[in-house]
Amino acid sequence: MSAPAGPGEWTVRAASLCAMNAARTQSERTPRPAARPGAALAALAGAQFTVMLATSVVNVALPRIRDGAGLSDAGTTWAVNAYGLAFGALLLAGGRAADLLGRRRVLLAGLTLFAVASLAAGLAASAPALITARAVQGLGAAAIAPAALALAMDGSPSAAARGRALGVWGAVSGAGGAGGVLLGGVLTQVWGWPWIFHAVAFGSVLVLAAVAALVPASAGRGPGRFDLPGTVAVTLALTCLVWGLTTARGAGWTDPVVLGALAAATLLLAAFAAIERRRPDALVPPRLLTAGRVVPGNLLMALFGSVWIALFFFLPLYQQQVLGSGPLATGAGQLPFAAANMLGSALAPRLARRAGSPATVTMALLTEAAGLLWLSRLGADGSYAADVLGPSLLAGLGLGAAFVQLTALAVAGVPPRDAGLAGGLVNTTRQVGGAVGLAALTTLAGSVTARASGALPRLEALTAGYRTAFTVSAAVLAVTAALAPLLTRVRPGTPPAAATPPPTRPLHRTGSTNP
């Protein structure tokens, strides 16, 4: 008798079956009625949830991953950074590929790659194998995120439907980030760190099956050609930028390698701008930057993103290193935050209809800033109930509402043929903003802790660094809230953030081979 299949083999079999079913669906010639919009949106939201889950699921498991895979301190850092680096650098390329090759096709390919890479990460027995698998995960996520958002907007032609879709998007994004901490804690403590990746792989296969079955195909490929020179230039520029920023967290801002990477990023971005001016099919066409409120929406999203990732980074650290919580308790402590985030995401479209998008963005950012300012009063002798729970609820509520409205601002009024690229751009600005913010805040918190270590006990010195990070984060959000009304003024002819024109590429289930 053969040995029973392990989790890796079952995941491979399931992925193969889903891929075969997807191919069979594409080859059918008999038209089918489109799935219910709600079911399609649920499948697409599942894809976004999976991407956000993989961003945070490793955080509480890092000590055990380091021991199990034989990682050095630098290797442990890159178990996180490899995913964010590939994700942030390739989002624009992923969004443009979705517009040109077919959004459903790119989404299915991204989910397949993501599932295989997640399985490989769980089976990795060495540092290079794990870090490579995490980078490939980021590549898959860069295809998933913009394609899924564009498909969600394609299926939401009315203002009300668009508002509901973005509310769901914000809810699953925040829930994925918080849920990753919880899932990572539970699986690490019960079954071991490889299962955090096996679980993500299995979830990806389920989402792949749901997308293949429920998300209707688009009418065909988009017009235009792929801008290879521009794509290479901006991908290398973002790679150097994100790599330099993440390396600066450990090596310092004056390290020659860090300075070289940041200088290369600057030169490559200048080269990208020069290339785009001469290309008829530019990766980021001028029409995108002049559509709706794309530029102000992305600028505000970058500032907002600089605080988003830092919140998920510092709060679990405080719970584990200062309060002494284990992985399971730390993960469970994220549940109230996730619930508040989902509530804020659900309320945002309703508030925007009553008060307007600029006012809603401002109120949401100030609410999150108030929660972070509350966290800046953390003490070394504190407790979860007294010091973390209340501000987590306030920050989660504001974060959910702000994410929904800033995403709406960044994609409102964009031509349907550029919807995937717009989704890639807003995700890129959030990721790059997060890399900049996290690098700056970790450096700042580390320097404060180092200075305080000579005069204070270890836990009080650590807490002083965390308090500083939360204080600066609150200040950044306050500045963002002040800028929001100025940058989001409605110009004549600009569509409101809650509305979008009907897609010109109708969605239907046909025998077309262009999903």
Side-chain angles (χ1 to χ4, degrees), residues 99-184:
D99 287 336
L100 294 178
L101 302 178
R103 293 161 190 167
R104 185 171 174 272
R105 173 186 285 113
V106 170
L107 177 57
L108 290 171
L111 284 167
T112 301
L113 183 63
F114 193 85
V116 172
S118 300
L119 175 62
L123 298 175
S126 66
L130 177 60
I131 293 171
T132 301
R134 287 287 285 167
V136 178
Q137 262 191 317
L139 172 60
I144 294 169
L149 179 58
L151 284 167
M153 295 300 96
D154 278 348
S156 307
S158 70
R162 182 190 180 93
R164 286 193 297 270
L166 288 172
V168 170
W169 219 252
V172 299
S173 297
V181 179
L182 173 61
L183 183 65

Side-chain angles (χ1 to χ4, degrees), residues 22 38 43 48 74 77 91 116 128 146 170 187 224 228 246 272 297 322 339 342 346 367 430 447 459 473 476:
Q48 174 69 5
T77 301
L91 272 166
V116 172
L187 293 178
L228 184 59
T246 52
F272 171 68
V322 178
M342 296 174 71
T367 300
R430 180 170 57 81
S447 64
L459 294 184
S473 296
V476 170

Side-chain angles (χ1 to χ4, degrees), residues 365-397:
L365 291 170
L366 289 176
T367 300
E368 186 182 357
L372 289 168
L373 193 61
W374 191 352
L375 284 172
S376 70
R377 300 170 59 84
L378 292 171
D381 57 349
S383 67
Y384 175 82
D387 296 271
V388 177
L389 179 58
S392 292
L393 292 172
L394 199 58
L397 189 67

Side-chain angles (χ1 to χ4, degrees), residues 34-243:
R36 291 180 298 172
L41 178 60
L44 295 169
Q48 174 69 5
F49 180 87
T50 302
V51 168
M52 297 306 298
L53 187 76
T55 303
S56 60
V57 73
V58 302
N59 288 350
V60 297
L62 282 176
R64 300 192 186 186
I65 293 175
R66 179 186 58 207
D67 297 336
L71 298 174
S72 63
D73 288 341
T76 303
T77 301
W78 280 104
V80 178
N81 292 345
Y83 178 84
L85 177 62
F87 186 26
L90 295 168
L91 272 166
L92 282 176
R96 190 57 175 159
D99 287 336
L100 294 178
L101 302 178
R103 293 161 190 167
R104 185 171 174 272
R105 173 186 285 113
V106 170
L107 177 57
L108 290 171
L111 284 167
T112 301
L113 183 63
F114 193 85
V116 172
S118 300
L119 175 62
L123 298 175
S126 66
L130 177 60
I131 293 171
T132 301
R134 287 287 285 167
V136 178
Q137 262 191 317
L139 172 60
I144 294 169
L149 179 58
L151 284 167
M153 295 300 96
D154 278 348
S156 307
S158 70
R162 182 190 180 93
R164 286 193 297 270
L166 288 172
V168 170
W169 219 252
V172 299
S173 297
V181 179
L182 173 61
L183 183 65
V186 171
L187 293 178
T188 299
Q189 191 157 315
V190 176
W191 287 323
W193 70 265
W195 277 94
I196 65 176
F197 297 113
H198 292 322
V200 171
F202 182 68
S204 302
V205 171
L206 293 180
V207 173
L208 174 64
V211 170
L214 300 175
V215 176
S218 54
R221 299 188 182 196
R225 295 182 299 173
F226 199 75
D227 177 15
L228 184 59
T231 300
V232 171
V234 75
T235 299
L236 290 175
L238 292 174
T239 299
C240 290
L241 177 62
V242 176
W243 186 82

